[in-house]
Amino acid sequence: MPLTRRDFLVSGSLSLAAGALSPLLVHAAKSKPSTPPDFKDWESVRREFDLAPDYIHLALFFLASHPRAVRQAIEQYRERIDANPFVAVDSAIFEPTNVNIPLQVCQAIASYIGGDPQHIALTQNTTTGLALLYHGLPLREGDEILTTTHDHYVHHESIRLATGRCGATWRKIPLFDSYNSISPDEIAERVRKAIGPKTRAVGVTWVHSSSGVRLPIARIAQSVAEANRGREEKDRVLLIVDGVHGLGVEDPKITALGCDAFATGTHKWMFGPRGTGFVWAKPAVWQRMRPIIPTFTSPDIFEAWEQEHDPQTPARAAWFSPGGFQAFEHYWALPTAVHFHQDMGPARVTARIHELNGQMKAELARMPNIQLYTPRDENLSAGIVCFDVKGMKPEQVVKRLLDQRIVASTTPYRVSYARVACSVVNTPQEVDSVLRAIRQLG
Ligand SMILES: Cc1ncc(COP(=O)(O)O)c(C=O)c1O
């Protein structure tokens, strides 16, 4: 007899008790604090975080601090799991749709990014998402992946490892030569010219953590679409985006960007539980791909294994959510972080982050001791600001700022800069204090 979702990896039958528990789990994680924040008041939003109050935090894009609602949701799930691990987990991940928590997590993400929950795979971070995308591509010997010189180590490394396994090649191109002369037209043109007959994917980063530059993804998508004209489906070039520093900052409707696949962590600007992320891709992309890690979110795969045949249907997103038992209390609490952003209002979040970083850049650009790299143009930047203090190494800058309880960071790239990033927890007064401190450096 074929196994049902409930039987998936489970030998006992706790259907009734477990089924009764699941709605409680979800309800617990949705319960609001007694005094909800005023989401229209940034001071009130800031109070939701347990951040050390004597520091100015300009590196939350590195790893999130959890707002109160997220901490509570994690804690409530943790209590449930600690009280009864088998019942809590079994009922939540193997139950049919309306009480299935991974599915609810996908629904929450979809309500934010504007897509279909069924096109989302849940991952632990951006790194895992990029790795499963590039390794999942049906690459053949001689195929090529085109990427850029501006991407993060984990992006290049995912491509290197994936191409190395099958005799495919990869190539990096610069999208601009100087931070002073970045043009969306030129970026799109460079991508268009660089795509060759063997190119199967173009990998780019929405917001560069090397410089703070935000790419015109829609324009790049047009170049890729042009290259695809007349190509057979199997030779189509896919546009893959590392979106981690855009999500939670820019318009979240990423399905409108025009890319084919989008990998992100939700533990940076999203303030989601640490160790969470997702990949969104078009269904035709999922269909072309091969999973690399066994999943727990697709009973049909388990049934095929149990019946000793290959899966009979085309691949879909759920096949790509890495399985195995995990820090469930974290990834189940992700909807709470999504709701936190929806409550603040994505457009307000974008405006606030641009306003604070705009204030930072405007003043840095005026300082004679500073070389500012991030464009001031709001269309070419987001929440990250990179600069040098003339005559100082970036790590000295960061150290000197930390001595004054200002948390900045250096960019982890071959050419490294000092980096600050204002998020919704910061204030214009904090930006002024940081600028005063930077002015006195060097
Ligand atoms: C552009 C970019 N991509 C990916 C990562 C890795 O993110 P994650 O920790 O979600 O894997 C980082 C930094 O941490 C990054 O700056």
Side-chain angles (χ1 to χ4, degrees):
M1 201 172 97
L3 290 174
T4 65
R5 232 177 247 267
R6 275 285 301 111
D7 298 321
F8 182 30
L9 302 183
V10 181
S11 54
S13 178
L14 283 165
S15 222
L16 204 66
L21 180 64
S22 287
L24 281 181
L25 279 166
V26 175
H27 175 74
K30 277 186 180 160
S31 67
K32 299 263 179 204
S34 44
T35 50
D38 175 0
F39 285 103
K40 299 280 176 274
D41 171 11
W42 293 119
E43 288 297 332
S44 174
V45 167
R46 160 71 188 236
R47 282 195 295 275
E48 293 301 293
F49 293 82
D50 258 355
L51 287 161
D54 47 345
Y55 282 80
I56 297 179
H57 298 272
L58 302 175
L60 293 184
F61 69 98
F62 177 81
L63 191 60
S65 168
H66 297 154
R68 175 164 49 151
V70 173
R71 293 197 304 276
Q72 285 178 340
I74 292 171
E75 199 44 45
Q76 285 163 352
Y77 281 127
R78 193 195 319 280
E79 279 170 17
R80 296 277 168 177
I81 297 171
D82 282 338
N84 200 335
F86 175 76
V87 170
V89 171
D90 171 57
S91 61
I93 67 175
F94 299 129
E95 279 292 325
T97 52
N98 61 336
V99 289
N100 182 283
I101 298 184
L103 204 78
Q104 291 173 4
V105 177
C106 290
Q107 280 162 351
I109 295 168
S111 75
Y112 181 65
I113 67 170
D116 184 324
Q118 301 206 30
H119 303 163
I120 292 168
L122 299 172
T123 65
Q124 287 67 49
N125 43 48
T126 325
T127 305
T128 311
L130 289 169
L132 73 83
L133 277 171
Y134 287 108
H135 284 78
L137 292 176
L139 291 175
R140 289 158 296 193
E141 195 174 345
D143 286 350
E144 179 198 68
I145 293 182
L146 178 69
T147 186
T148 82
T149 53
H150 315 285
D151 310 282
H152 193 267
Y153 152 76
V154 300
H155 200 156
H156 289 163
E157 194 61 359
S158 294
I159 295 174
R160 186 182 76 82
L161 294 173
T163 50
R165 275 177 170 75
C166 59
T169 62
W170 67 296
R171 191 158 49 99
K172 292 185 274 188
I173 57 160
L175 296 177
F176 44 84
D177 298 324
S178 152
Y179 293 113
N180 296 324
S181 59
I182 299 178
S183 136
D185 286 345
E186 191 185 338
I187 288 174
E189 185 58 10
R190 284 190 185 200
V191 171
R192 195 187 61 77
K193 281 193 178 144
I195 294 174
K198 290 286 187 182
T199 309
R200 297 288 171 264
V202 174
V204 298
T205 301
W206 194 6
V207 179
H208 294 162
S209 52
S210 50
S211 63
V213 169
R214 173 158 62 103
L215 290 187
I217 300 295
R219 294 295 310 278
I220 296 173
Q222 281 169 7
S223 295
V224 173
E226 234 174 86
N228 278 329
R229 237 170 258 146
R231 286 204 186 202
E232 281 186 56
E233 185 58 30
K234 70 176 176 41
D235 296 335
R236 239 173 61 80
V237 186
L238 300 179
L239 179 58
I240 296 179
V241 175
D242 168 349
V244 72
H245 295 301
L247 195 80
V249 179
E250 301 300 324
D251 182 346
K253 301 294 178 220
I254 56 148
T255 54
L257 285 175
C259 60
D260 293 287
F262 183 100
T264 186
T266 40
H267 50 189
K268 296 183 191 284
W269 296 91
M270 286 301 296
F271 305 125
R274 293 179 283 268
T276 59
F278 69 89
V279 175
W280 168 87
K282 293 176 177 168
V285 175
W286 290 122
Q287 280 183 23
R288 268 172 73 170
M289 301 223 314
R290 284 187 297 251
I292 54 166
I293 301 175
T295 188
F296 274 15
T297 53
S298 238
D300 47 336
I301 303 278
F302 182 78
E303 282 165 27
W305 170 78
E306 200 247 355
Q307 292 161 21
E308 298 187 322
H309 60 70
D310 283 345
Q312 307 291 296
T313 55
R316 55 198 167 79
W319 293 15
F320 292 81
S321 298
F325 286 175
Q326 311 189 9
F328 290 117
E329 59 271 53
H330 272 230
Y331 99 74
W332 294 351
L334 180 51
T336 308
V338 172
H339 299 149
F340 189 77
H341 270 264
Q342 287 169 328
D343 285 341
M344 287 189 289
R348 291 183 66 248
V349 169
T350 305
R352 177 69 169 180
I353 292 175
H354 276 267
E355 179 194 320
L356 293 170
N357 289 288
Q359 180 189 346
M360 186 77 83
K361 284 184 287 184
E363 195 50 36
L364 286 177
R366 274 196 278 271
M367 292 185 197
N369 62 333
I370 298 299
Q371 169 94 47
L372 175 66
Y373 299 108
T374 311
R376 289 185 59 193
D377 183 344
E378 287 201 39
N379 295 310
L380 293 172
S381 58
I384 294 177
V385 176
C386 295
F387 64 97
D388 269 332
V389 177
K390 290 176 190 160
M392 283 179 85
K393 293 203 165 105
E395 54 271 28
Q396 287 176 300
V397 174
V398 168
K399 162 88 178 55
R400 293 271 301 274
L401 291 176
L402 193 58
D403 289 344
Q404 299 178 65
R405 295 183 179 256
I406 296 168
V407 186
S409 58
T410 57
T411 59
Y413 291 82
R414 191 170 56 81
V415 179
S416 179
Y417 306 128
R419 184 172 59 177
V420 288
C422 300
S423 71
V424 291
V425 306
N426 299 115
T427 63
Q429 295 72 27
E430 285 184 328
V431 175
D432 282 339
S433 304
V434 173
L435 288 166
R436 264 196 305 279
I438 293 175
R439 199 174 287 114
Q440 284 159 15
L441 298 175

